[in-house]
Amino acid sequence: MCICVNCRHVQDCMTYYMIQKQHDLIYNNKKVTDNFFVPKETLINININYTNLHTYFDWDLVECLSFTEKPGYWIV
C-alpha cells in the first residue's frame, strides 16, 4: 500500500502525482508546472500482475524521507 495516503505532502507531491498518472487516476486539475513538492529519497515498489491476457502494474511508494504523517490528508 502506498504510504502517501497518510502524508502531509500528498496534495502537492510530485512523486504521488507521477504514481497517480501511472494508475490513470489524475483527480485534480493541477498541472506539472504548478508548485510541486519534490520529496527526498523515495522508494517505489512496482508489482506486476497478470490476469488472463493482460498485464497490470501496481505502483506503491513504500519509503520516503520526506514523509510527514497526517492521516486522512488525501481526503479533500
Side-chain angles (χ1 to χ4, degrees):
M1 178 179 192
C2 189
I3 65 171
C4 297
V5 297
N6 288 323
C7 183
R8 176 175 75 99
H9 305 290
V10 70
Q11 300 296 331
D12 299 313
C13 180
M14 184 65 176
T15 301
Y16 187 67
Y17 178 83
M18 187 273 308
I19 290 172
Q20 284 184 311
K21 192 172 181 180
Q22 294 301 320
H23 283 290
D24 292 325
L25 296 173
I26 303 299
Y27 295 119
N28 56 26
N29 293 328
K30 186 170 283 218
K31 297 177 184 173
V32 176
T33 58
D34 289 349
N35 293 327
F36 272 101
F37 173 77
V38 180
K40 297 179 182 175
E41 297 188 38
T42 58
L43 179 64
I44 298 174
N45 184 31
I46 304 171
N47 294 305
I48 303 170
N49 301 306
Y50 302 100
T51 305
N52 295 331
L53 300 174
H54 300 287
T55 303
Y56 299 97
F57 298 95
D58 183 26
W59 296 65
D60 292 319
L61 184 76
V62 294
E63 189 173 320
C64 176
L65 289 185
S66 299
F67 178 81
T68 305
E69 189 169 17
K70 189 170 182 180
Y73 188 66
W74 62 279
I75 303 171
V76 175

